[in-house]
Amino acid sequence: MSDRPVRVRVAPSPTGDPHVGTAYQALFNYTFARSRAGKLILRIEDTDRARSTPESEAAILESLSWLGIEWDEGPDVGGPHAPYRQSERVVIYRQHARQLLDAGSAYRSFISKQALDQLRADQREQGWQGFFDAEGREMSREQSDRRADSGEPFVIRLKTPLDGDCVMKDLLRGEVSKEWAQIDDQILIKSDGYPTYHLANVVDDHLMGISHVIRGEEWISSLPKHLLLYEAFGWQPPVFCHLPLLRNPDKSKLSKRKNPVSIGYYQRAGYLPQALLNFLGLLGWSMPSGEEKFTIDEMIAEFRLEDVSLGGPVFDLRKLRWLNGRYIREDHDARSLRLALENWALNATRLESILPLAQPRMDALSDWGYLTAFFLADEEPFDPTDLKLKGKTADELAALLQTVIWRLEQQRDFTPEALQQTFRELSDSLEIKLRDLTLPLYVALTGKTASTPLFQSMAILGSDIVRMRIARAVDALGGLSSKKLRELEKQYEARFGTRG
Ligand code: GLU
């Protein structure tokens, strides 16, 4: 183990809902930092300009705070290595890329997109797995500068060895090796002048003094490129530790098709942050005593990174529910449970947003419970025979509802007005009357064929619960096969553009 002061980081990309995988990494980094008197840094990796949004960044910070993860440096709290948002550090990455150009470890590549596809195909045919631009690699610096100065578009690529093996060390896996010939000459700076994840990530980990990189297993294939960057800069690499991939109960990679993956969903559905953290802590780690219920402080007291086990941990919702139940039953009396409920949803602000929708339908005060219960639930039972749409089969309706889910995934503004606008556009483009389209949605969302106004109700329910209930309706209609989903996705992208 390294004897540098422990500094770890969690580095989410703000593209969409805060993901439970981010919470998982944050928890293990946090626990490790605290167990070694170290620091946790939160860094926002927003170099993907098309997909990053400030709303997503805000939601990530809020979700991690809700869980009780505390970071010592970050975009909101500042710190000695500010800024902690990569979009504000672009100049730094450009300077570093230039340093590599000057040292001859990187080169400009002027190949056009079309020519690149052809070249890649040719290299594949010759049995070459990675990709390199021979012309760029050999071009003189004068010629490269001249072409760049004349305004010709280019990317900057890292010069990867063409033979030999890259030997890497992972804290949990020991030595792993990979042939260099299988690895692309990685793009470091894109044609828009922005860095790729690889360059920005390595430069920041170094400049921010990161001692241990603890992240998801999906990044292990990028490790050769990262190690090569450390070498090219002459920097000491951190210790790398890739956490096991979280899995669905059928052992496939955790996906939102099979499990809710947004932290906000669990918050809205009434899970306690302590229980969710405890559940995440059990994924790949266990208390030496075997006790399954533990606080984060108890975890910190016992935690050793080497003890994380690699057998694919299963994100089992039944287990989470069981654990959450133990927290509710064992850790609360009536008063503290009431406070937990209040914190969650039973509070004046939320009731005052719901009641105006129920009021026109209330004859007695006691009607409020029946009329508004679905706002305070996770699942809302419905009669599957109510799920129908004029002239459509169950399969067609399932496909339509899936389209609605995808559309809502992209909907950042979840106000009634914005939702109404979106559904108008959806109904036009799908050539279905808005009234008809809303009927199965009433059933899926409220459990009834008629209820409080749809878009206002959706705005109160929030995006996570809305999408989850519609997904349950898709299942109730018989679900969609992987093949059907792929077809549907193509149609969707043709109609509405990429799903992002
Ligand atoms: N931005 C990357 C992500 O979204 C960070 C990966 C890493 O930790 O290196 O997961």
Side-chain angles (χ1 to χ4, degrees), residues 74-103:
D76 54 339
V77 290
H81 301 284
Y84 291 91
R85 201 176 279 118
Q86 289 189 328
S87 56
E88 294 166 20
R89 302 171 61 82
V90 174
V91 178
I92 301 177
Y93 311 126
R94 287 197 192 131
Q95 282 163 354
H96 281 83
R98 176 157 285 271
Q99 200 178 313
L100 295 182
L101 273 183
D102 291 345

PDB file of all heavy atoms in Angstrom, residues 74-103:
ATOM      1  N   GLY A  74     -14.735  20.088  -2.977  1.00  0.00           N
ATOM      2  CA  GLY A  74     -15.688  19.865  -4.066  1.00  0.00           C
ATOM      3  C   GLY A  74     -16.180  21.177  -4.622  1.00  0.00           C
ATOM      4  O   GLY A  74     -15.832  22.245  -4.092  1.00  0.00           O
ATOM      5  N   PRO A  75     -17.000  21.135  -5.674  1.00  0.00           N
ATOM      6  CA  PRO A  75     -17.410  22.385  -6.326  1.00  0.00           C
ATOM      7  C   PRO A  75     -18.225  23.287  -5.405  1.00  0.00           C
ATOM      8  O   PRO A  75     -18.200  24.498  -5.559  1.00  0.00           O
ATOM      9  CB  PRO A  75     -18.266  21.907  -7.510  1.00  0.00           C
ATOM     10  CG  PRO A  75     -18.615  20.499  -7.231  1.00  0.00           C
ATOM     11  CD  PRO A  75     -17.556  19.949  -6.315  1.00  0.00           C
ATOM     12  N   ASP A  76     -18.916  22.707  -4.452  1.00  0.00           N
ATOM     13  CA  ASP A  76     -19.738  23.529  -3.557  1.00  0.00           C
ATOM     14  C   ASP A  76     -18.952  24.033  -2.347  1.00  0.00           C
ATOM     15  O   ASP A  76     -19.171  25.134  -1.881  1.00  0.00           O
ATOM     16  CB  ASP A  76     -20.959  22.731  -3.081  1.00  0.00           C
ATOM     17  CG  ASP A  76     -20.548  21.391  -2.447  1.00  0.00           C
ATOM     18  OD1 ASP A  76     -19.430  20.914  -2.717  1.00  0.00           O
ATOM     19  OD2 ASP A  76     -21.345  20.833  -1.682  1.00  0.00           O
ATOM     20  N   VAL A  77     -17.999  23.222  -1.848  1.00  0.00           N
ATOM     21  CA  VAL A  77     -17.268  23.636  -0.649  1.00  0.00           C
ATOM     22  C   VAL A  77     -15.883  24.202  -0.965  1.00  0.00           C
ATOM     23  O   VAL A  77     -15.222  24.752  -0.093  1.00  0.00           O
ATOM     24  CB  VAL A  77     -17.115  22.470   0.368  1.00  0.00           C
ATOM     25  CG1 VAL A  77     -18.441  22.132   1.000  1.00  0.00           C
ATOM     26  CG2 VAL A  77     -16.509  21.233  -0.279  1.00  0.00           C
ATOM     27  N   GLY A  78     -15.463  24.093  -2.219  1.00  0.00           N
ATOM     28  CA  GLY A  78     -14.149  24.614  -2.598  1.00  0.00           C
ATOM     29  C   GLY A  78     -13.030  23.731  -2.065  1.00  0.00           C
ATOM     30  O   GLY A  78     -13.261  22.556  -1.720  1.00  0.00           O
ATOM     31  N   GLY A  79     -11.828  24.288  -1.972  1.00  0.00           N
ATOM     32  CA  GLY A  79     -10.678  23.518  -1.493  1.00  0.00           C
ATOM     33  C   GLY A  79      -9.419  23.979  -2.205  1.00  0.00           C
ATOM     34  O   GLY A  79      -9.477  24.798  -3.128  1.00  0.00           O
ATOM     35  N   PRO A  80      -8.281  23.434  -1.774  1.00  0.00           N
ATOM     36  CA  PRO A  80      -6.999  23.922  -2.290  1.00  0.00           C
ATOM     37  C   PRO A  80      -6.757  23.625  -3.772  1.00  0.00           C
ATOM     38  O   PRO A  80      -5.838  24.198  -4.359  1.00  0.00           O
ATOM     39  CB  PRO A  80      -5.964  23.191  -1.422  1.00  0.00           C
ATOM     40  CG  PRO A  80      -6.688  22.023  -0.849  1.00  0.00           C
ATOM     41  CD  PRO A  80      -8.120  22.418  -0.734  1.00  0.00           C
ATOM     42  N   HIS A  81      -7.526  22.717  -4.360  1.00  0.00           N
ATOM     43  CA  HIS A  81      -7.282  22.386  -5.768  1.00  0.00           C
ATOM     44  C   HIS A  81      -8.408  22.845  -6.678  1.00  0.00           C
ATOM     45  O   HIS A  81      -8.618  22.285  -7.747  1.00  0.00           O
ATOM     46  CB  HIS A  81      -7.051  20.881  -5.916  1.00  0.00           C
ATOM     47  CG  HIS A  81      -5.893  20.391  -5.118  1.00  0.00           C
ATOM     48  ND1 HIS A  81      -4.588  20.596  -5.509  1.00  0.00           N
ATOM     49  CD2 HIS A  81      -5.836  19.753  -3.921  1.00  0.00           C
ATOM     50  CE1 HIS A  81      -3.781  20.079  -4.589  1.00  0.00           C
ATOM     51  NE2 HIS A  81      -4.506  19.567  -3.618  1.00  0.00           N
ATOM     52  N   ALA A  82      -9.164  23.852  -6.239  1.00  0.00           N
ATOM     53  CA  ALA A  82     -10.287  24.339  -7.045  1.00  0.00           C
ATOM     54  C   ALA A  82      -9.771  24.843  -8.388  1.00  0.00           C
ATOM     55  O   ALA A  82      -8.603  25.244  -8.470  1.00  0.00           O
ATOM     56  CB  ALA A  82     -10.989  25.458  -6.283  1.00  0.00           C
ATOM     57  N   PRO A  83     -10.575  24.878  -9.441  1.00  0.00           N
ATOM     58  CA  PRO A  83     -11.972  24.420  -9.455  1.00  0.00           C
ATOM     59  C   PRO A  83     -12.101  22.891  -9.515  1.00  0.00           C
ATOM     60  O   PRO A  83     -11.207  22.218  -9.996  1.00  0.00           O
ATOM     61  CB  PRO A  83     -12.527  25.056 -10.738  1.00  0.00           C
ATOM     62  CG  PRO A  83     -11.353  25.313 -11.610  1.00  0.00           C
ATOM     63  CD  PRO A  83     -10.178  25.515 -10.706  1.00  0.00           C
ATOM     64  N   TYR A  84     -13.252  22.395  -9.022  1.00  0.00           N
ATOM     65  CA  TYR A  84     -13.488  20.953  -8.977  1.00  0.00           C
ATOM     66  C   TYR A  84     -14.475  20.509 -10.058  1.00  0.00           C
ATOM     67  O   TYR A  84     -15.038  19.432  -9.979  1.00  0.00           O
ATOM     68  CB  TYR A  84     -13.991  20.543  -7.590  1.00  0.00           C
ATOM     69  CG  TYR A  84     -12.899  20.690  -6.542  1.00  0.00           C
ATOM     70  CD1 TYR A  84     -12.742  21.865  -5.826  1.00  0.00           C
ATOM     71  CD2 TYR A  84     -11.996  19.657  -6.321  1.00  0.00           C
ATOM     72  CE1 TYR A  84     -11.722  22.010  -4.892  1.00  0.00           C
ATOM     73  CE2 TYR A  84     -10.969  19.788  -5.394  1.00  0.00           C
ATOM     74  CZ  TYR A  84     -10.838  20.969  -4.681  1.00  0.00           C
ATOM     75  OH  TYR A  84      -9.820  21.097  -3.767  1.00  0.00           O
ATOM     76  N   ARG A  85     -14.689  21.402 -11.010  1.00  0.00           N
ATOM     77  CA  ARG A  85     -15.578  21.064 -12.137  1.00  0.00           C
ATOM     78  C   ARG A  85     -14.690  21.093 -13.370  1.00  0.00           C
ATOM     79  O   ARG A  85     -14.036  22.101 -13.658  1.00  0.00           O
ATOM     80  CB  ARG A  85     -16.651  22.150 -12.203  1.00  0.00           C
ATOM     81  CG  ARG A  85     -17.896  21.774 -12.907  1.00  0.00           C
ATOM     82  CD  ARG A  85     -18.933  22.884 -12.837  1.00  0.00           C
ATOM     83  NE  ARG A  85     -19.674  22.924 -11.587  1.00  0.00           N
ATOM     84  CZ  ARG A  85     -19.664  23.942 -10.723  1.00  0.00           C
ATOM     85  NH1 ARG A  85     -18.934  25.027 -10.966  1.00  0.00           N
ATOM     86  NH2 ARG A  85     -20.375  23.896  -9.632  1.00  0.00           N
ATOM     87  N   GLN A  86     -14.653  19.978 -14.105  1.00  0.00           N
ATOM     88  CA  GLN A  86     -13.670  19.898 -15.189  1.00  0.00           C
ATOM     89  C   GLN A  86     -13.891  20.926 -16.290  1.00  0.00           C
ATOM     90  O   GLN A  86     -12.931  21.374 -16.911  1.00  0.00           O
ATOM     91  CB  GLN A  86     -13.656  18.472 -15.763  1.00  0.00           C
ATOM     92  CG  GLN A  86     -13.027  17.493 -14.778  1.00  0.00           C
ATOM     93  CD  GLN A  86     -12.787  16.121 -15.353  1.00  0.00           C
ATOM     94  OE1 GLN A  86     -13.546  15.668 -16.217  1.00  0.00           O
ATOM     95  NE2 GLN A  86     -11.762  15.441 -14.884  1.00  0.00           N
ATOM     96  N   SER A  87     -15.135  21.326 -16.524  1.00  0.00           N
ATOM     97  CA  SER A  87     -15.363  22.312 -17.588  1.00  0.00           C
ATOM     98  C   SER A  87     -14.654  23.629 -17.266  1.00  0.00           C
ATOM     99  O   SER A  87     -14.439  24.449 -18.147  1.00  0.00           O
ATOM    100  CB  SER A  87     -16.866  22.549 -17.792  1.00  0.00           C
ATOM    101  OG  SER A  87     -17.449  22.953 -16.578  1.00  0.00           O
ATOM    102  N   GLU A  88     -14.296  23.836 -16.000  1.00  0.00           N
ATOM    103  CA  GLU A  88     -13.595  25.069 -15.628  1.00  0.00           C
ATOM    104  C   GLU A  88     -12.080  24.888 -15.615  1.00  0.00           C
ATOM    105  O   GLU A  88     -11.341  25.760 -15.180  1.00  0.00           O
ATOM    106  CB  GLU A  88     -14.071  25.528 -14.233  1.00  0.00           C
ATOM    107  CG  GLU A  88     -15.533  25.940 -14.237  1.00  0.00           C
ATOM    108  CD  GLU A  88     -16.118  26.068 -12.834  1.00  0.00           C
ATOM    109  OE1 GLU A  88     -15.357  26.205 -11.864  1.00  0.00           O
ATOM    110  OE2 GLU A  88     -17.357  26.010 -12.725  1.00  0.00           O
ATOM    111  N   ARG A  89     -11.627  23.739 -16.079  1.00  0.00           N
ATOM    112  CA  ARG A  89     -10.195  23.444 -16.024  1.00  0.00           C
ATOM    113  C   ARG A  89      -9.614  23.146 -17.404  1.00  0.00           C
ATOM    114  O   ARG A  89      -8.505  22.599 -17.515  1.00  0.00           O
ATOM    115  CB  ARG A  89      -9.951  22.218 -15.109  1.00  0.00           C
ATOM    116  CG  ARG A  89     -10.479  22.410 -13.699  1.00  0.00           C
ATOM    117  CD  ARG A  89     -10.419  21.120 -12.893  1.00  0.00           C
ATOM    118  NE  ARG A  89      -9.097  20.588 -12.725  1.00  0.00           N
ATOM    119  CZ  ARG A  89      -8.214  20.984 -11.801  1.00  0.00           C
ATOM    120  NH1 ARG A  89      -8.529  21.936 -10.953  1.00  0.00           N
ATOM    121  NH2 ARG A  89      -7.026  20.439 -11.733  1.00  0.00           N
ATOM    122  N   VAL A  90     -10.366  23.529 -18.440  1.00  0.00           N
ATOM    123  CA  VAL A  90      -9.978  23.127 -19.798  1.00  0.00           C
ATOM    124  C   VAL A  90      -8.572  23.607 -20.168  1.00  0.00           C
ATOM    125  O   VAL A  90      -7.802  22.888 -20.808  1.00  0.00           O
ATOM    126  CB  VAL A  90     -11.053  23.622 -20.801  1.00  0.00           C
ATOM    127  CG1 VAL A  90     -10.638  23.361 -22.220  1.00  0.00           C
ATOM    128  CG2 VAL A  90     -12.373  22.915 -20.509  1.00  0.00           C
ATOM    129  N   VAL A  91      -8.241  24.820 -19.725  1.00  0.00           N
ATOM    130  CA  VAL A  91      -6.918  25.357 -20.053  1.00  0.00           C
ATOM    131  C   VAL A  91      -5.824  24.434 -19.519  1.00  0.00           C
ATOM    132  O   VAL A  91      -4.815  24.187 -20.189  1.00  0.00           O
ATOM    133  CB  VAL A  91      -6.757  26.771 -19.421  1.00  0.00           C
ATOM    134  CG1 VAL A  91      -5.384  27.340 -19.697  1.00  0.00           C
ATOM    135  CG2 VAL A  91      -7.843  27.689 -19.951  1.00  0.00           C
ATOM    136  N   ILE A  92      -6.051  23.916 -18.327  1.00  0.00           N
ATOM    137  CA  ILE A  92      -5.049  23.021 -17.708  1.00  0.00           C
ATOM    138  C   ILE A  92      -4.831  21.787 -18.584  1.00  0.00           C
ATOM    139  O   ILE A  92      -3.703  21.367 -18.827  1.00  0.00           O
ATOM    140  CB  ILE A  92      -5.530  22.574 -16.299  1.00  0.00           C
ATOM    141  CG1 ILE A  92      -5.755  23.791 -15.409  1.00  0.00           C
ATOM    142  CG2 ILE A  92      -4.560  21.573 -15.675  1.00  0.00           C
ATOM    143  CD1 ILE A  92      -6.311  23.462 -14.024  1.00  0.00           C
ATOM    144  N   TYR A  93      -5.928  21.224 -19.092  1.00  0.00           N
ATOM    145  CA  TYR A  93      -5.785  20.004 -19.902  1.00  0.00           C
ATOM    146  C   TYR A  93      -5.070  20.311 -21.220  1.00  0.00           C
ATOM    147  O   TYR A  93      -4.256  19.524 -21.690  1.00  0.00           O
ATOM    148  CB  TYR A  93      -7.150  19.359 -20.185  1.00  0.00           C
ATOM    149  CG  TYR A  93      -7.997  19.209 -18.938  1.00  0.00           C
ATOM    150  CD1 TYR A  93      -9.295  19.713 -18.874  1.00  0.00           C
ATOM    151  CD2 TYR A  93      -7.472  18.592 -17.802  1.00  0.00           C
ATOM    152  CE1 TYR A  93     -10.048  19.595 -17.720  1.00  0.00           C
ATOM    153  CE2 TYR A  93      -8.221  18.478 -16.640  1.00  0.00           C
ATOM    154  CZ  TYR A  93      -9.511  18.987 -16.610  1.00  0.00           C
ATOM    155  OH  TYR A  93     -10.248  18.882 -15.468  1.00  0.00           O
ATOM    156  N   ARG A  94      -5.401  21.472 -21.788  1.00  0.00           N
ATOM    157  CA  ARG A  94      -4.738  21.836 -23.058  1.00  0.00           C
ATOM    158  C   ARG A  94      -3.241  21.991 -22.841  1.00  0.00           C
ATOM    159  O   ARG A  94      -2.438  21.533 -23.644  1.00  0.00           O
ATOM    160  CB  ARG A  94      -5.330  23.127 -23.615  1.00  0.00           C
ATOM    161  CG  ARG A  94      -6.716  22.882 -24.168  1.00  0.00           C
ATOM    162  CD  ARG A  94      -7.176  24.005 -25.086  1.00  0.00           C
ATOM    163  NE  ARG A  94      -8.597  23.840 -25.326  1.00  0.00           N
ATOM    164  CZ  ARG A  94      -9.521  24.787 -25.219  1.00  0.00           C
ATOM    165  NH1 ARG A  94      -9.162  26.018 -24.906  1.00  0.00           N
ATOM    166  NH2 ARG A  94     -10.779  24.523 -25.443  1.00  0.00           N
ATOM    167  N   GLN A  95      -2.875  22.638 -21.725  1.00  0.00           N
ATOM    168  CA  GLN A  95      -1.436  22.802 -21.435  1.00  0.00           C
ATOM    169  C   GLN A  95      -0.772  21.446 -21.310  1.00  0.00           C
ATOM    170  O   GLN A  95       0.330  21.224 -21.822  1.00  0.00           O
ATOM    171  CB  GLN A  95      -1.231  23.544 -20.105  1.00  0.00           C
ATOM    172  CG  GLN A  95      -1.433  25.028 -20.204  1.00  0.00           C
ATOM    173  CD  GLN A  95      -1.635  25.658 -18.818  1.00  0.00           C
ATOM    174  OE1 GLN A  95      -1.728  24.959 -17.804  1.00  0.00           O
ATOM    175  NE2 GLN A  95      -1.716  26.982 -18.791  1.00  0.00           N
ATOM    176  N   HIS A  96      -1.461  20.531 -20.651  1.00  0.00           N
ATOM    177  CA  HIS A  96      -0.862  19.206 -20.458  1.00  0.00           C
ATOM    178  C   HIS A  96      -0.768  18.432 -21.764  1.00  0.00           C
ATOM    179  O   HIS A  96       0.207  17.708 -21.990  1.00  0.00           O
ATOM    180  CB  HIS A  96      -1.617  18.423 -19.383  1.00  0.00           C
ATOM    181  CG  HIS A  96      -1.234  18.856 -18.002  1.00  0.00           C
ATOM    182  ND1 HIS A  96      -1.792  19.954 -17.382  1.00  0.00           N
ATOM    183  CD2 HIS A  96      -0.303  18.374 -17.149  1.00  0.00           C
ATOM    184  CE1 HIS A  96      -1.236  20.115 -16.199  1.00  0.00           C
ATOM    185  NE2 HIS A  96      -0.323  19.167 -16.027  1.00  0.00           N
ATOM    186  N   ALA A  97      -1.755  18.607 -22.621  1.00  0.00           N
ATOM    187  CA  ALA A  97      -1.705  17.912 -23.913  1.00  0.00           C
ATOM    188  C   ALA A  97      -0.529  18.452 -24.722  1.00  0.00           C
ATOM    189  O   ALA A  97       0.195  17.705 -25.384  1.00  0.00           O
ATOM    190  CB  ALA A  97      -3.020  18.118 -24.662  1.00  0.00           C
ATOM    191  N   ARG A  98      -0.340  19.759 -24.635  1.00  0.00           N
ATOM    192  CA  ARG A  98       0.784  20.363 -25.366  1.00  0.00           C
ATOM    193  C   ARG A  98       2.119  19.816 -24.859  1.00  0.00           C
ATOM    194  O   ARG A  98       3.017  19.509 -25.639  1.00  0.00           O
ATOM    195  CB  ARG A  98       0.722  21.901 -25.233  1.00  0.00           C
ATOM    196  CG  ARG A  98       1.883  22.621 -25.874  1.00  0.00           C
ATOM    197  CD  ARG A  98       1.550  24.048 -26.218  1.00  0.00           C
ATOM    198  NE  ARG A  98       0.687  24.160 -27.386  1.00  0.00           N
ATOM    199  CZ  ARG A  98       1.121  24.250 -28.640  1.00  0.00           C
ATOM    200  NH1 ARG A  98       2.400  24.195 -28.900  1.00  0.00           N
ATOM    201  NH2 ARG A  98       0.273  24.374 -29.641  1.00  0.00           N
ATOM    202  N   GLN A  99       2.201  19.650 -23.559  1.00  0.00           N
ATOM    203  CA  GLN A  99       3.414  19.093 -22.957  1.00  0.00           C
ATOM    204  C   GLN A  99       3.712  17.712 -23.575  1.00  0.00           C
ATOM    205  O   GLN A  99       4.853  17.402 -23.882  1.00  0.00           O
ATOM    206  CB  GLN A  99       3.135  18.946 -21.463  1.00  0.00           C
ATOM    207  CG  GLN A  99       4.329  18.841 -20.574  1.00  0.00           C
ATOM    208  CD  GLN A  99       3.848  18.748 -19.111  1.00  0.00           C
ATOM    209  OE1 GLN A  99       2.981  19.528 -18.679  1.00  0.00           O
ATOM    210  NE2 GLN A  99       4.397  17.815 -18.359  1.00  0.00           N
ATOM    211  N   LEU A 100       2.660  16.919 -23.779  1.00  0.00           N
ATOM    212  CA  LEU A 100       2.864  15.584 -24.357  1.00  0.00           C
ATOM    213  C   LEU A 100       3.239  15.677 -25.835  1.00  0.00           C
ATOM    214  O   LEU A 100       4.062  14.897 -26.331  1.00  0.00           O
ATOM    215  CB  LEU A 100       1.611  14.719 -24.188  1.00  0.00           C
ATOM    216  CG  LEU A 100       1.224  14.379 -22.746  1.00  0.00           C
ATOM    217  CD1 LEU A 100       0.000  13.482 -22.721  1.00  0.00           C
ATOM    218  CD2 LEU A 100       2.378  13.700 -22.004  1.00  0.00           C
ATOM    219  N   LEU A 101       2.641  16.663 -26.531  1.00  0.00           N
ATOM    220  CA  LEU A 101       3.013  16.878 -27.941  1.00  0.00           C
ATOM    221  C   LEU A 101       4.503  17.220 -28.016  1.00  0.00           C
ATOM    222  O   LEU A 101       5.245  16.661 -28.825  1.00  0.00           O
ATOM    223  CB  LEU A 101       2.231  18.056 -28.530  1.00  0.00           C
ATOM    224  CG  LEU A 101       0.847  17.850 -29.144  1.00  0.00           C
ATOM    225  CD1 LEU A 101       0.352  19.172 -29.724  1.00  0.00           C
ATOM    226  CD2 LEU A 101       0.858  16.767 -30.214  1.00  0.00           C
ATOM    227  N   ASP A 102       4.917  18.143 -27.145  1.00  0.00           N
ATOM    228  CA  ASP A 102       6.310  18.592 -27.156  1.00  0.00           C
ATOM    229  C   ASP A 102       7.265  17.433 -26.867  1.00  0.00           C
ATOM    230  O   ASP A 102       8.350  17.362 -27.417  1.00  0.00           O
ATOM    231  CB  ASP A 102       6.537  19.710 -26.116  1.00  0.00           C
ATOM    232  CG  ASP A 102       5.825  20.999 -26.521  1.00  0.00           C
ATOM    233  OD1 ASP A 102       5.414  21.095 -27.700  1.00  0.00           O
ATOM    234  OD2 ASP A 102       5.635  21.886 -25.653  1.00  0.00           O
ATOM    235  N   ALA A 103       6.824  16.541 -25.995  1.00  0.00           N
ATOM    236  CA  ALA A 103       7.701  15.426 -25.624  1.00  0.00           C
ATOM    237  C   ALA A 103       7.647  14.289 -26.646  1.00  0.00           C
ATOM    238  O   ALA A 103       8.367  13.300 -26.518  1.00  0.00           O
ATOM    239  CB  ALA A 103       7.292  14.904 -24.249  1.00  0.00           C
TER     240      ALA A 103
END
